[in-house]
Amino acid sequence: GTFQSYIMNSNCVCELLPQGLTYTEEDAVLGMIAPRALKIFSAKNDTNKSFFSSEMLKSYNAAVPVFEFYKAKDKIAYQIFDTGHGYWPEMRDAMLGWFNLQLKGKGDGNELIAPAVKPLPATELATFKEGERPAEIVTTAGFCQRQEVYLHQQMMEDHKPNLKTKTAALKNILGINLSTKIKDVKSYEREEGWQKFVLETTSGSFIPFLFKAPEKGNSYTLLSHSSGKDSIPSSDIKDLIKKGQGVLLVDIWGTGEQRSETAVKIDGALPPFHTLSRSAQWLGNTVMGNWVSDLQLVGEWLKQRDKKSILNIQGYKETGIASLLYTVFNEVQQATLVNTPYSYRFDERKGIDFYNMAIHIPGILK
């Protein structure tokens, strides 16, 4: 298909290329195969847009000039099959014919009916016999855990980390859009002591939040929740008001009034933010980066309103991470994280599948 068709589509996360669309498209990857042979198979009845034949043809047509440049126009081809998603016998037969031509120089590339096959038992296919696998060869999960321990040791041995370098690296992997500013502020009627505001940004988004000024003083708490401001416990809000705090309840990107109904529908039974997290990463940013950006803009609005304001920040579950990240780039008096993970290190315990895909930040362990 195309990388662009992955945006707002629910594909396997293993197909995600972080920041991919900021520097390439799928046709460029196909072009890297030239002048070697490439044949693309496409299923006419696939139900996922990312794999539609029309998307495949965009990539094919854009890759052809690269093969022509290498004088290898005959080395690229495609075939559309009257099947659904899958790897079907007719595809296998077509593959064998193509391999015969390109690897053996036999035939004309048309299908070659595969001989009958007898499946082999797994024990015969295993690279090592049971009990004979060398200790240095590990599973993918084992490799990741080993790398994570190594990276952690490196970090702990770095007794004088460069804060400026670390902060710049964090800003980069979050994909925070520093050029986004407040374009307009819309205010609405007060309701039960709360005033609603909506910030329109220069990037075309709208950030809604409820505001209650402090009875006295200039201390405020900015609260967010990954399920939207309506999920913030009312008891916590009452406690803050009782303490004389001003309160801001904000719906950051993809939550509450900013929720994408399309993404929710695409997610289906998958974890929340499956679609938005992957789409954001293709475009060079992250859910966390978008959340930090929204929180920063609301914080800027408050500072414009009350130049002496003292800000506290409080986040629940995944937005607790965004609240913590906010403190890296902005001054706050106190950050409170509720039901928030405090580490990205791997954990093998059972029953801790508690967080949605908004938490993912490619490159965070490095």
Side-chain angles (χ1 to χ4, degrees):
T2 59
F3 290 164
Q4 188 173 343
S5 64
Y6 280 95
I7 303 299
M8 296 303 284
N9 245 311
S10 193
N11 308 98
C12 301
V13 73
C14 60
E15 296 168 18
L16 168 65
L17 177 61
Q19 302 182 13
L21 273 167
T22 67
Y23 62 88
T24 192
E25 242 296 355
E26 186 156 335
D27 57 80
V29 179
L30 298 179
M32 292 171 70
I33 296 170
R36 293 168 294 146
L38 168 68
K39 186 167 185 179
I40 307 167
F41 290 171
S42 180
K44 185 171 75 173
N45 303 317
D46 205 310
T47 57
N48 190 317
K49 183 188 175 183
S50 298
F51 308 119
F52 280 4
S53 298
S54 55
E55 295 300 314
M56 177 276 293
L57 287 169
K58 291 177 187 176
S59 292
Y60 169 81
N61 289 325
V64 165
V66 183
F67 281 80
E68 289 176 333
F69 175 82
Y70 285 105
K71 296 180 172 53
K73 174 66 169 65
D74 60 329
K75 294 291 186 180
I76 184 171
Y78 72 85
Q79 190 168 342
I80 299 173
F81 297 85
D82 192 14
T83 67
H85 192 90
Y87 195 64
W88 302 86
E90 50 264 56
M91 293 182 177
R92 181 190 60 194
D93 294 344
M95 177 199 74
L96 289 173
W98 179 254
F99 278 11
N100 233 22
L101 173 64
Q102 300 298 339
L103 302 179
K104 293 182 177 181
K106 294 182 178 179
D108 57 6
N110 287 325
E111 67 175 22
L112 180 68
I113 305 301
V117 296
K118 180 183 177 183
L120 295 172
T123 51
E124 282 189 43
L125 295 169
T127 306
F128 302 102
K129 292 180 180 177
E130 191 170 352
E132 294 183 7
R133 187 173 69 192
E136 63 268 23
I137 296 176
V138 295
T139 62
T140 302
F143 170 78
C144 290
Q145 287 174 321
R146 192 169 64 183
Q147 284 294 105
E148 177 261 330
V149 170
Y150 168 71
L151 290 168
H152 185 258
Q153 287 173 342
Q154 273 193 321
M155 184 184 72
M156 298 306 288
E157 290 168 4
D158 186 4
H159 300 300
K160 292 184 179 180
N162 186 308
L163 186 61
K164 191 174 181 181
T165 302
K166 286 279 189 185
T167 303
L170 179 61
K171 192 175 291 183
N172 181 54
I173 64 171
L174 286 171
I176 297 175
N177 187 354
L178 297 174
S179 63
T180 301
K181 305 295 180 187
I182 298 172
K183 181 180 178 182
D184 191 21
V185 181
K186 295 180 173 62
S187 62
Y188 298 84
E189 294 288 328
R190 286 179 180 272
E191 247 183 76
E192 299 179 2
W194 294 90
Q195 185 162 11
K196 182 176 180 179
F197 290 93
V198 177
L199 303 184
E200 182 182 357
T201 74
T202 52
S203 62
S205 62
F206 296 86
I207 309 169
F209 62 95
L210 296 176
F211 175 76
K212 185 185 280 285
E215 287 191 15
K216 58 180 180 178
N218 55 353
S219 186
Y220 301 81
T221 298
L222 172 59
L223 299 98
S224 60
H225 195 294
S226 56
S227 296
K229 63 181 182 296
D230 290 347
S231 295
I232 299 169
S234 57
S235 57
D236 290 0
I237 299 170
K238 288 175 183 175
D239 286 345
L240 290 169
I241 294 171
K242 195 174 180 181
K243 292 174 184 175
Q245 293 270 322
V247 177
L248 300 92
L249 311 176
V250 59
D251 279 332
I252 48 182
W253 188 78
T255 74
E257 292 181 76
Q258 282 210 71
R259 189 174 90 151
S260 166
E261 296 302 331
T262 302
V264 171
K265 185 178 179 181
I266 293 169
D267 284 347
L270 293 166
F273 287 95
H274 186 274
T275 300
L276 289 181
S277 178
R278 288 168 44 272
S279 297
Q281 289 177 46
W282 271 107
L283 296 168
N285 48 54
T286 61
V287 173
M288 283 297 159
N290 289 339
W291 284 356
V292 173
S293 296
D294 279 8
L295 291 171
Q296 286 193 150
L297 290 171
V298 176
E300 286 175 18
W301 171 87
L302 179 63
K303 188 58 72 175
Q304 291 171 10
R305 180 186 177 94
D306 183 352
K307 289 181 172 54
K308 294 182 179 179
S309 61
I310 298 169
L311 184 64
N312 304 290
I313 192 162
Q314 186 161 317
Y316 297 78
K317 291 187 68 176
E318 297 81 8
T319 60
I321 300 174
S323 299
L324 184 62
L325 292 168
Y326 177 90
T327 70
V328 176
F329 310 106
N330 305 274
E331 189 177 336
V332 299
Q333 184 177 44
Q334 178 178 297
T336 304
L337 320 181
V338 184
N339 291 334
T340 295
Y342 55 82
S343 173
Y344 273 96
R345 299 193 69 183
F346 301 136
D347 198 324
E348 287 295 291
R349 288 175 294 164
K350 303 296 182 186
I352 59 167
D353 189 12
F354 184 65
Y355 301 104
N356 66 43
M357 281 185 58
I359 67 169
H360 293 308
I361 306 171
I364 188 67
L365 288 176
K366 288 186 178 181

